Structure formats: C-alpha cells, structure tokens
Amino acid sequence: MLTVLLLLWPLAAALLLHFFKGRAARVAALGAALIEFVLAAYAAVLFSNNNTGQLSFNHDWIASAGINFHVGMDGLSLLLVLLTAFLVPIILLASFRRNFENESVFYALVLFMQTGLIGVFTAQDAFLFYFFWEIALIPIYFLAGVWGGVNRSRVTFKFFLYTIVGSLFMLAGFVYLYFQTGPAANGLAAHNSELASFYNLNLPAETQSWLFWLIFAAFAVKMPIFPFHTWQPDTYTEAPAPATMLLSGIMLKMGIYGTMRWLLPVVPMGVNQWQNLVLILSIIGIIYGAIIAIRQQDMKRLIAYSSLSHVGLMAAGVFSLTQIGLQGASIQMLAHGVNVVGMFFIVDAIERRTGTRLIPDLGGLTRQAPVLTVCFLVLLLGTVALPLTNGFVGEFLLLAGVYQYNAWMGAVAGVTIILGAVYLLRMFQRVMLGPDSAHTATFTDLTGSELALLVPLIMLVFWIGLFPNTFLHLSEGSVMSILNEVVKR
Amino acid sequence: MNSIILLSVLGLANLFLGFLRSNRLLLPAAMLMLAVVFGVNLIDWNAGAQTFFSGMLVIDNFSVAFTGIVVLTALVLLPFSQKYVRDGEANLAEYYSLLLFSLVGAIMMVSYNHLLMLFLGIEILSVAMYVLAGSDKRNLRSNEAALKYFLMGAFFTGVLLFGMALVYGATGTFELTKIGEAVLIPANASLTPMLYIGMLLMLMGIGFKVSAAPFHFWTPDVYEGTPTFFTAFMSTVVKTAGFAAFLKLLVQAFPAASAMGIWLPTLTAMCILTLLIGNVGAVAQTSVKRMLAYSSVSHAGYLLIALVAFNGQLQGASANGIFFYSLAYSIATVAAFGVLKLVSDSRGREDYNGLNGLAKTNPLLAFVMTVAMLSLAGIPLTGGFFGKFFIFSAAVENGYIWLVVFAVVMSMVSIYYYLRPIIAIYMHDADADSAQPVYVSSFQSAALLLLALLTIVLGVLPGLVSGIL
C-alpha cells in the first residue's frame, strides 16, 4: 500500500497545485516533494533486505485481459525510488531561482513526472510498466517544450519522436510476450502480463533474438546508447535547467533499470547473442561522448556529452553480465544522478549570474566565489571518479565488470576516466580559474539556499564514496536474482 | 427498440418546437431528449436478444452498446452548436431534428438482422448528412461538400443495393443468419460467383460510408466544406455505426471459410491502403480540419484491423476492440472538432497557425486539445492508447504480427501530425490580431472538461467498459 501511496501522492499534489499561484505554488510543490521523500525513507525503513518483491500491491486493472495493477519493490527498485524522491525536491529547489511563467503548471508537471518515474521503478506488470514509461515522457516533453530555449519546438519534437518510436517497439515486444504466457491468476483471461510470467517463458533462441531488439529499442533510446543518442545533447541544452536535471538525473536511469529488469531476464538468450555488439556500441559511446565533450564551448552541452559517455559505461557494465558490473551500474546510477544534477545546477547558477554558459566568456570566477568553487570541485571530482568520491566506486566496479568480460574492452572503456578528467578539469580551470573575465567583478558567491541545496548532494558524494556498502547491500540481492535468471538457461 | 421509437417521436417534437421561434429552448430540449434516450437505451442492457418486425431488427447487448456510443457522442457534441443559438439560426430546429433522425438510422445500422434494415439505416443516416453538409447555405464550400457527398453517396448506395440484390439472388433471403446458412449449402455452389460479387459490392458500399481507402476520396473535401459542428458528427457517428454494421454483416452473414477466403484478403488490402493513405495524407495538410479528415481515414484503417482479426463472434477481442476504439475515438474527435470550432468561430481560421498561443489565451482549450491529440495518437493515459492496444492485441492473437508492425509504424507517422497542433498551442506565440481569448461559454467549458476527463478515465481505467461485450 505504501508503494501505491508513493505513486498517488505526487499525482494528487500535482492536481492540488492548481489552487496555488506564484510563489505559493513553489513552496507547496517543495512541501509535497519533501513529504514524498519522507514516505520513500519510511519505505526504506520498512524494507527488509532480501531480494523478494516487497511493499507490493496487486489488484485487477483490466480484468478481462489479465492485466494487473501490480507494484512492488526489491532492492534495486528501492534504490531508484529513493534516488527519485531525493532528487525531485532538490530539482524543485533548484528551479526556485528562476521565474517561470505559469509556475503552478510547471511544478505540477514535475510532480506528475515523479509519479511516472516511481511507477516505472516499481511496476511488476509489463503493461503497467509501459504505461508509466510513457507517463514519464509526457510531462518532460511539455517542460522542455514550453519553458525551453529558442529551438525548443524542433528539438523536443525530435526527442518525443525518438522516445515514442523506441517505446512502441517495446510495446510490440511486450504484446508478443503476453500472448506466450499462461492463463491469468484471476481465471478470466487466457494470458497475463506479470513480470514473473515473462521470466518463466522459455522462448526459442531465434525468437529471443529479434525480441531483444524490439524491447531494447526503448531502453537504448532512453539511455541513450550510441547511435540512438542524437536527440540527447540538443534536448539537454534546450530544456530549462530543472528539466535537464530530470532528464539526466533520473530519466536516463529508466533505460538502465529497464534493461536490468525487463530485458536481461526476459530474453536471456537474445542478450547472450547480442551482448558483444551492445558492449561495442556502449564503448564507442563512451569514447565518442568524451571526445566530443572535449570540444564543447557550452558548459551545458559539455555535461550532456559527458553524460552520454558515462551512461555508455553503465550500459557496458550491465551487458558484461557480471555481478560486479551490474552492482557497479546500480551504484553508478545513484552517483551519476547526484553528480549530474549538482553539475547542471552549478552551470545554471553561473548562467543566472553572468548570462552565459560559454566557457570562453568566463574565467577567474573563483576570486569572488570560493564556496561555489569548492562545491563545483567536489561534484566535478565525483564525476571524474576520484577515489573517495561516489564516481570512483561506480566506475571502478563497472570497469572491473567489463574487464572480466573482455580485458581489451575493459582497457578501452577505462580511457573514459582519463578523458573525463581532461574535459571536466579543463572546463573547471577555464571557468573558475584562469584570467579574469568581464564577469569576474560582478560575480557573487552562492547564497544560503543554494548552498542548502548543494550540501546534501555533496554529503552523498562522500557517503557513497566512503561507505558504498550501504547502497550496494540493497541492490545485491536483486542483481543476484537477475543474474540467476540470465544464467538459468 | 425503445430508443428508435423515442428518437423518432422526439425528432418530430423537436420540429414542432421550431414553431415557437425560440432558439434558447431548443438546445436544452434536444440535450434532454438525448439524455433520456441514452437512459432508455440502457434499460435493454442484458435483457437478452429481442427481435422486432418479424426478426428484421434485433436488440441485444451489441446493439445497446453501440447505440450508447452514438447517442452519447451526439449528446456531448450538442453544446458546440451554441453559436447557432446565439446567432439566431433560423433552421436550428430542423438541424436538431435531422440529427435525431439520423441517430435513428445509426441505431438501425447497429441492430439490423435483415439487409433491408441495413439499407434503410444507412439511407436515413446519409440523407440527413447530405442536408447537414450543405447547411451553411451561403458558403460555396459547404454547397460543394453537400453536392459531392450526395452524388458520391448516391452512387455508392446504388453499389450497396446492387450487392444486396446479388446476395439475395444467390441465397434467396435478406436475413443475415439465413444468408450465413445458405452460403454453406453445397447445392448453392454454382451460385457462388454471384454471391461473392454481391458480397464485395456490399463491402464497397459500407467501405465508402466509413471512408476506407480506396473509397475515401470524398472525405477530405466533404469534411472541410461541411460546417465543423456537423463534420464532428459525421466523422464519429457514421464511422461507429458503419463499423458495427460491418462487423455484424461479416459475423452473421459471411463467417463461412469460403466467404472469408474472399473478403479477408480484400479487407486486409483495404486496411493497409487506408492506414497508408490516411496517415501519409494527414502529414501534408496545413489545415487542422483537413488533417482531422485524413486522420479519420487513418482511424478507419485501425478499425479495419479489428475486422481482419475476425473471431466470428459479436463479442470477444474483435468486437471489444471496435467498441472501445469507437468510443475513445468518438470522444477525442468531438473534443478536437469542438475546440477547432470554437477557435475558428473566434479567429476565423482553421489552419495550424490559428491555434498559435492558445495556451496563453485559453488554457482550458489548450489542455483539451492536447488530451484529444494524444488520445488520437494513442499515447498512454488516454483512451486512444487502450483502443489501439485492444485492436493490436486482437490482431496479434490471430497471427497478424506483420499487420500490427505496419500499423505501429503508421501510428509513429501519426505522431508527427498530432503533435503539430500541440506545438502550435504551446510553443508558438499568437499573432497580434489573434491574441484575444477565444470565446467559450461556461457550458461549453464544462462539456470540454467532461470530454477530456472521459478520455483520461478511459485511459486509466479501461476495465470500466472494456470486456462488457
């Protein structure tokens, strides 16, 4: 029931938000998101660490078709629900500094999106999963399309088309799988769409081979994996900062999570067949994203490409099909969420003060803003994967996983750390250090509320970096059971 | 049956109300009448099959369900005729009466058991539509639409009638179930060419009414010229009734394997062609109304998939798919045409740019149009998604995976043109001359909100109506 509450509360809050105007809407939205976080934390307290679905709720949804409203959490789901519930209030707080038109609608869409995201991470029924998967898309389309930059209508159109085409393929795959299942538990329908029934299908290898691409299309676009990524840099750049944070911080994880939950155990033979190809694509993405990031002048675009590079590594870890790789992906989802939201916030903070995010126009900002410099540096080093920070744990495990699969691939993927250091430290150096620019004199340091937003993020950078076991323990059981499903056949 | 009698009587009553020369009274009266008919129709639900006129009409759950859709569609559409009331339209009583009478035709089409009743139903519905298409008497385009629709319609009525005659010649009966039996009698084998030509001519005739390609060519011009209020009626009620009649004909008269061997490939080809022409045609349009006309062709294509996924029954996946799809489609289409009518009444244009900046001036209209477009595109959270879902599932269950893949690709194309109004509404600013809010009465606001709500309810709780057949 708690899971249902986690789903319904942001939705209810989004609807109620229409009664608030202006500043009151911001505060109400933040309050609602904080309550959601408390609920999620309470779920974590109730959660007993074993790998079975917990806090689940199962009710007929479309009884005549055997489709259930079945939600529940295992460790992996909980991890991502916690990430969502933690990041949404931060993202809301981050948008306080900007004045958006129709604020109540803006914040309502963010909360609405939270419902979709939490639904994706908790759904245990294929069609429910698809339902939430698309629900998460609609608000972000409007957030980016209505409040975005100059090219928003063209860019968001491309984004919408890419993602919806991918997810329609996934839907087709699910429909096919659905007709392979046995009768529903309620006895009314000849088939059912439970996750567990999908796991128990023993489909021939040729079928799994094409089903793999149908389902993977949705995840590959969402992550995105090279060469399905072309929507991503433009969308990240044109979307308003809060939407970019939602896209990169949480929505990207839908792809990784979906792969782990709805692809690997469902079509294991298909995965085995295409594993090599996907790993190569992921590694191309890692290098490609990093090299393009080096050339970027726009900070937001630079981080977008770095995000492409990092998600490539996560995908590679997942497709190494090793425990260490999947565990690495789980923890890196958290770490990347924290880091990238923090980085986008800093970029937004700089842009609000100077009116630009072009690296050549900036420089010497540290003289006026020592606190901002420190925060920026911590998040940056987390992204670069310096030991003791969160990025190190994730990337180390991921690379170890890829290395276990194939040493050469591990070596090539490892270049990401070097290239990451190159483009991120260069950006830091030229923006914060370096000769003074026209903006140096008027630049101001972080305000109290901005700091209040960054402190929890920075605390998490170190928490995950120093005590990763808190989180690794949560996902361990889920990862083991996913791998068991994969090797079982 | 009650609903047919009631509608005929109320239609007449409405004509007489016209003598009062009080337009204000007409709209609430017509709505009340339809609400009563809707309620009376539901009385027959689960009452078992009742036959009338020596078995020429059968009222069963199938006909009650589809009658429900067409009456509900007309009911929620009526508020958008308020401008006629305000403008003091002299013939309003006649318009409403024609709408009520045409509903009688639609109900006959969903409950016929005799080809004569089918013919009468189609004609009652169509003749009213010919008149209403030309109701904007001083508008050249409206006249053109009425003339085109009438000439083509009369021609295809002839085709339909010819088909019926041939079927009668081959089987010696007009009754659906008896035709079904006669097809199976081996002694009739020498008559099969005649029977099948008749059958195919009937498919052409009905295909024309539901605007399935290649008999769709009249649709864009007629829809564009017809006053928007009646276009909405045309593209919803006619299509819903047409597909119910189509399904009934195939299930009851031609379920035999030999007949199916002929109509199934024909319908499959029509289905592919309709999806292709509807979706690709809609992409190229600059007028929202024309886009909606092509989109209505494409939706005929999706509904044809349900016929191709034939299961030989008036219940189960195929019938349920048509029922749910028609309902979701009708509601979304009424909403889309409703918004379009209000906008074009106010701003005087029907192209995409006419919708620019609507989000700022009329957030409600913007929201409803968005929900309608998402539903027509089949995005989850709207009824349109489950409509497509049920139809595609029925097709996959019958082994038509390739057809579903094609339909999915076509719905990807459709996202392009359904997003364009949304982009205009939310992302483009209005021109200086059209920055004024569009006039919407509170009554119409309520109706629009109801339509959006219904669409979302269908999209979240499809179990409420899915599977009742």
Side-chain angles (χ1 to χ4, degrees), chain A residues 89-156:
Chain A
I90 301 254
I91 291 169
L92 286 172
L93 203 58
S95 42
F96 274 25
R97 296 274 139 189
R98 296 236 176 210
N99 286 313
F100 295 105
E101 267 184 75
N102 287 327
E103 269 175 286
S104 60
V105 180
F106 183 90
Y107 292 111
L109 284 173
V110 175
L111 290 174
F112 182 44
M113 175 145 180
Q114 191 175 17
T115 294
L117 291 165
I118 290 186
V120 165
F121 296 138
T122 56
Q124 303 291 316
D125 181 289
F127 295 120
L128 191 66
F129 174 75
Y130 176 78
F131 185 74
F132 283 124
W133 179 271
E134 294 294 36
I135 284 187
L137 171 65
I138 296 168
I140 195 73
Y141 169 71
F142 282 100
L143 283 173
V146 177
W147 288 274
V150 190
N151 289 323
R152 60 186 190 274
S153 81
R154 189 179 52 79
V155 166
T156 51

Side-chain angles (χ1 to χ4, degrees), chain A residues 400-423:
Chain A
V402 179
Y403 185 82
Q404 259 183 29
Y405 173 74
N406 181 322
W408 284 106
M409 284 185 179
V412 178
V415 177
T416 174
I417 297 195
I418 302 167
L419 291 175
V422 171
Y423 59 75

Side-chain angles (χ1 to χ4, degrees), chain A residues 343 346 350 372-380 427-428 432:
Chain A
M343 297 275 277
I346 300 246
I350 293 175
L372 186 141
T373 312
V374 172
C375 294
F376 194 2
L377 191 62
V378 171
L379 290 163
L380 192 103
M427 171 175 81
F428 183 78
M432 302 311 292

Side-chain angles (χ1 to χ4, degrees), chain B residues 208-454:
Chain B
F208 172 86
K209 294 296 168 196
V210 299
S211 53
F215 313 111
H216 69 284
F217 45 83
W218 57 276
T219 315
D221 291 348
V222 172
Y223 277 24
E224 195 185 16
T226 306
T228 309
F229 175 68
F230 300 114
T231 315
F233 188 85
M234 220 183 251
S235 63
T236 52
V237 170
V238 178
K239 200 155 299 211
T240 306
F243 269 97
F246 224 146
L247 185 67
K248 237 173 127 62
L249 182 73
L250 296 177
V251 166
Q252 297 188 325
F254 302 112
S258 54
M260 217 170 142
I262 294 184
W263 64 252
L264 193 59
T266 315
L267 279 191
T268 313
M270 277 168 75
C271 172
I272 293 169
L273 207 58
T274 310
L275 282 171
L276 193 67
I277 290 176
N279 283 303
V280 175
V283 167
Q285 303 309 317
T286 52
S287 143
V288 182
K289 204 169 170 188
R290 260 183 106 81
M291 180 275 278
L292 285 173
Y294 274 103
S295 112
S296 97
V297 173
S298 79
H299 288 286
Y302 297 115
L303 284 160
L304 278 170
I305 297 179
L307 292 181
V308 171
F310 177 79
N311 61 0
Q313 289 170 20
L314 288 183
Q315 53 198 14
S318 186
N320 183 50
I322 292 187
F323 172 71
F324 197 93
Y325 200 100
S326 309
L327 181 62
Y329 164 78
S330 298
I331 292 172
T333 306
V334 168
F337 275 115
V339 173
L340 182 65
K341 175 164 169 58
L342 294 171
V343 171
S344 67
D345 282 348
S346 234
R347 295 184 175 176
R349 53 201 290 192
E350 286 169 347
D351 57 344
Y352 288 107
N353 292 337
L355 294 171
N356 284 354
L358 197 63
K360 295 223 172 65
T361 57
N362 296 68
L364 176 75
L365 290 188
F367 171 72
V368 174
M369 191 65 164
T370 305
V371 171
M373 288 298 127
L374 293 179
S375 182
L376 291 173
I379 309 285
L381 205 66
T382 60
F385 166 68
F386 280 105
K388 284 206 173 68
F389 178 76
F390 290 135
I391 284 188
F392 290 177
S393 308
V396 170
E397 200 173 4
N398 280 284
Y400 287 97
I401 297 176
W402 60 271
L403 186 58
V404 171
V405 169
F406 178 71
V408 167
V409 172
M410 282 298 122
S411 29
M412 290 170 187
V413 173
S414 79
I415 288 164
Y416 171 78
Y417 56 82
Y418 287 130
L419 271 191
R420 285 181 68 188
I422 299 182
I423 291 174
I425 287 172
Y426 285 97
M427 300 175 202
H428 294 164
D429 287 325
D431 316 335
D433 57 324
S434 57
Q436 301 299 325
V438 169
Y439 174 78
V440 192
S441 71
S442 51
F443 186 46
Q444 285 163 337
S445 300
L448 285 171
L449 208 56
L450 176 76
L451 289 166
L453 209 63
L454 278 176

Side-chain angles (χ1 to χ4, degrees), chain A residues 440-459:
Chain A
T440 309
T442 52
F443 201 76
T444 50
D445 208 346
L446 290 176
T447 61
S449 70
E450 284 173 328
L451 196 60
L453 182 162
L454 283 169
V455 164
L457 291 175
I458 286 170
M459 277 164 58

